[in-house]
């Protein structure tokens, strides 16, 4: 980091920038122009910090593909004159946004670090200040003019995680995210220790943003006792083009005849079904058990060790640009941005 380094901080909303409404007592977003009042320490950075504020600010439960496009456009517009990007975002859907951006930003050669907090900046014990300061340091870190982390990541509570591997698993602890299937990219203590071998390498190609996302994707979590009626309503929903199906353990599901028959019919009529595990760690392995062999036979695609968040956004991204189903299926099984282990 030096005086010439420039970081763009994109504030979308979320707890980090919230205050308590005096009348109702509920948390609502505050105006980011007051950031230096909230964190005077930011003035100590030797690099340039520039800000871009979403209008209106949103709780991340209201984030959607249009917001992802907006973020990607802001990054694209500011790409040449910034060395890195920090996105302040609510933690609730941060893993979805990080996953979506990882696919939408092709040939990303600069850091895009998402962070937020569990307690607002204005609170005495806030985790927001440390998260923001470390995220800026990571976004600005370089060696021989090459950024140390040229990929989309989430920084939270001393850990830097690949964005499309992150899952929010704790609604209360400061340590809210886990990367169940990929090592942490950096650990922050007295030093910032980068796990360089596991970080994606820059390819020095021109950034390309993909803005066409297919909205007609769905998610179904299986549970013991799921009824034929409920399952059919989901699987036969007209309009749905692809379904992420969260199965048990290593990709297992009921072997009931109605279940396999209905799904086969839907797949034969063109529905893409991607099998992901309900577990945070581990992989789908279709065919390991009797309860997944039929899925493999009828054309359910194994999502391997992809997270649900990455699976949904990868489908949106691929289906927005790929019409050939054979190619689509082959791309779903491959790692595009480090989202699954080949
Ligand atoms: N509800 C908030 C949000 O996701 C929680 C947070 O910021 O962590 O926007």
């Amino acid at each position: 980091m030096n005086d010439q380094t420039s970081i763009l901080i994109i504030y979308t909303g979320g707890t980090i920038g919230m205050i308590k409404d005096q009348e109702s007592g509920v948390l609502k977003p505050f105006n980011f122009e007051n950031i230096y009042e909230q964190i005077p320490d930011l003035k100590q950075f030797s690099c340039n910090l520039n800000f871009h504020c979403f209008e209106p600010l949103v709780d991340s439960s209201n984030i959607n593909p249009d917001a992802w496009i907006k973020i990607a456009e802001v990054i694209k517009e500011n790409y040449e004159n910034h060395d890195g990007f920090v996105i302040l975002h609510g933690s609730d859907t941060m893993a979805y946004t990080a996953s979506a951006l990882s696919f939408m930003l092709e040939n990303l050669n600069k850091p895009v670090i998402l962070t937020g907090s569990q307690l607002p900046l204005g609170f005495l014990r806030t985790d927001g200040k440390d998260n923001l300061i470390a995220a800026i340091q990571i976004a600005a870190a370089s060696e021989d003019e090459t950024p140390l982390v040229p990929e989309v990541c989430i920084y939270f509570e001393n850990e830097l995680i690949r964005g499309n591997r992150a899952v929010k698993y704790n609604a209360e602890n400061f340590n809210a995210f886990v990367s169940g299937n990929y090592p942490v990219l950096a650990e922050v203590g007295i030093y910032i220790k980068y796990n360089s071998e596991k970080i994606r390498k820059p390819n020095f190609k021109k950034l390309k943003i993909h803005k066409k996302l297919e909205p007609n994707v769905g998610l179904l979590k299986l549970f013991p006792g799921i009824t034929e009626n409920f399952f059919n309503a989901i699987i036969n929903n007209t309009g749905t083009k692809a379904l992420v199906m969260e199965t048990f353990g290593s990709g297992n599901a009921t072997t009931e005849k109605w279940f396999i028959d209905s799904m086969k019919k839907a797949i034969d009529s063109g529905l893409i079904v991607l099998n992901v595990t309900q577990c945070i760690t581990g992989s789908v392995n279709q065919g390991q058990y009797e309860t997944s062999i039929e899925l493999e036979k009828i054309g359910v695609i194994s999502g391997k060790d992809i997270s649900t968040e990455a699976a949904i956004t990868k489908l949106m991204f691929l289906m927005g640009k790929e019409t050939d189903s054979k190619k689509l299926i082959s791309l779903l099984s491959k790692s595009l941005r480090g989202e699954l282990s080949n």
Side-chain angles (χ1 to χ4, degrees), residues 150-216:
E151 57 172 299
V152 180
C153 298
I154 288 183
Y155 177 77
F156 234 84
E157 185 65 3
N158 304 330
E159 282 186 351
L160 185 72
I161 292 175
R162 175 167 294 161
N164 55 32
R165 293 293 196 151
V167 174
K168 183 173 181 183
Y169 82 116
N170 199 311
E172 293 175 7
N173 282 5
F174 288 157
N175 186 0
F177 289 90
V178 66
S179 173
N181 283 324
Y182 199 73
V184 163
L185 300 185
E187 271 174 295
V188 176
I190 294 180
Y191 306 104
I192 302 183
K193 290 190 185 153
Y194 292 94
N195 191 355
S196 308
E197 268 183 28
K198 298 292 174 192
I199 297 174
R200 286 170 73 75
K201 303 284 169 276
N203 65 7
F204 305 106
K205 290 187 184 161
K206 196 170 179 311
L207 177 74
K208 184 172 172 193
I209 64 167
H210 297 270
K211 298 198 279 185
K212 208 164 161 245
L213 300 173
E214 169 58 57
N216 292 303

Side-chain angles (χ1 to χ4, degrees), residues 13-16 18 58-61 89-93 117-118 168:
T15 296
I16 191 161
M18 286 195 181
V58 283
D59 185 289
S60 79
S61 298
H89 190 290
S91 62
D92 289 349
T93 63
S117 69
Q118 295 281 57
K168 183 173 181 183

Side-chain angles (χ1 to χ4, degrees), residues 47-330:
C47 62
N48 300 317
L49 300 181
N50 299 318
F51 297 94
H52 179 99
C53 242
F54 256 44
E55 183 57 59
L57 295 167
V58 283
D59 185 289
S60 79
S61 298
N62 283 320
I63 286 283
N64 56 25
D66 287 343
W68 298 335
I69 293 169
K70 228 164 111 183
I71 298 172
E73 280 172 344
V74 173
I75 291 174
K76 170 102 177 149
E77 278 157 25
N78 292 280
Y79 195 72
E80 291 312 324
N81 46 6
H82 287 86
D83 301 281
F85 300 83
V86 171
I87 303 175
L88 299 180
H89 190 290
S91 62
D92 289 349
T93 63
M94 189 183 284
Y96 290 89
T97 297
S99 295
L101 290 175
S102 76
F103 298 117
M104 294 165 75
L105 302 171
E106 189 174 344
N107 301 328
L108 180 69
N109 285 298
K110 294 185 180 182
V112 172
I113 314 295
L114 287 98
T115 195
S117 69
Q118 295 281 57
L119 278 179
L121 277 174
F123 284 37
L124 198 55
R125 286 195 302 108
T126 185
D127 50 330
K129 182 181 153 190
D130 286 353
N131 283 349
L132 174 58
I133 288 175
I136 295 170
Q137 285 186 328
I138 292 167
S142 64
E143 207 174 81
D144 301 330
E145 294 186 9
T146 304
L148 290 188
V149 192
E151 57 172 299
V152 180
C153 298
I154 288 183
Y155 177 77
F156 234 84
E157 185 65 3
N158 304 330
E159 282 186 351
L160 185 72
I161 292 175
R162 175 167 294 161
N164 55 32
R165 293 293 196 151
V167 174
K168 183 173 181 183
Y169 82 116
N170 199 311
E172 293 175 7
N173 282 5
F174 288 157
N175 186 0
F177 289 90
V178 66
S179 173
N181 283 324
Y182 199 73
V184 163
L185 300 185
E187 271 174 295
V188 176
I190 294 180
Y191 306 104
I192 302 183
K193 290 190 185 153
Y194 292 94
N195 191 355
S196 308
E197 268 183 28
K198 298 292 174 192
I199 297 174
R200 286 170 73 75
K201 303 284 169 276
N203 65 7
F204 305 106
K205 290 187 184 161
K206 196 170 179 311
L207 177 74
K208 184 172 172 193
I209 64 167
H210 297 270
K211 298 198 279 185
K212 208 164 161 245
L213 300 173
E214 169 58 57
N216 292 303
V217 302
L219 170 63
L220 171 67
K221 181 172 187 160
L222 296 186
F223 57 93
I226 189 168
T227 62
E228 184 173 355
N229 187 27
F230 177 77
F231 182 73
N232 281 338
I234 302 288
I235 200 116
N236 297 325
N237 175 42
T238 47
T240 304
K241 294 186 179 160
L243 188 70
V244 174
M245 184 168 69
E246 274 196 4
T247 55
F248 311 121
S250 54
N252 305 312
T254 175
T255 50
E256 295 230 42
K257 191 170 177 314
W258 60 261
F259 177 81
I260 299 293
D261 287 351
S262 296
M263 193 146 48
K264 180 172 186 322
K265 214 168 129 207
I267 291 171
D268 289 348
S269 345
L271 183 73
I272 298 283
V273 181
L274 185 61
N275 184 358
V276 306
T277 174
Q278 292 179 10
C279 303
I280 285 179
T281 298
S283 181
V284 164
N285 185 0
Q286 288 185 165
Q288 183 184 6
Y289 287 90
E290 191 190 19
T291 42
S292 67
I293 189 94
E294 282 304 316
L295 302 182
E296 179 78 13
K297 281 190 193 153
I298 63 174
V300 172
I301 304 154
S302 169
K304 301 182 181 172
D305 63 352
I306 198 168
S307 66
T308 297
E309 292 84 341
I312 291 271
T313 52
K314 185 173 181 179
L315 277 172
M316 287 178 171
F317 161 71
L318 280 180
M319 298 191 73
K321 69 192 208 85
E322 198 51 69
T323 45
D324 179 65
S325 69
K326 266 206 184 126
K327 207 159 163 215
L328 179 87
I329 291 168
S330 124

